[in-house]
Amino acid sequence: STYLVLFGTGIASGGTALTSVTINGVTAPMIYAGQQGTDTGLDQVDVLIPQTVAGKGNVNVQLVAEGIAANPVQITVQ
């Protein structure tokens, strides 16, 4: 299993229930979305990278918290 850890702000209020992540259009299982723990105001999202995107190279990651989409980012999956 490979996990992606994302950091941002404004995510904790939605928590895991109101936050979603897609990787290359595939819904990624979210393990945690909430406060980061040591830095005030910093939120953390832990996502399991779906095996269906293994070896796809550059893929898009889209996070949505409480219905608001963050700017998409790209990661490279080997």
Side-chain angles (χ1 to χ4, degrees), residues 23-53:
I23 300 176
N24 218 33
V26 177
T27 300
M30 201 168 4
I31 307 306
Y32 174 77
Q35 294 179 352
Q36 184 268 341
T38 57
D39 295 318
T40 303
L42 184 63
D43 301 328
Q44 177 175 330
V45 178
D46 301 336
V47 181
L48 178 63
I49 296 178
Q51 289 188 348
T52 57
V53 299

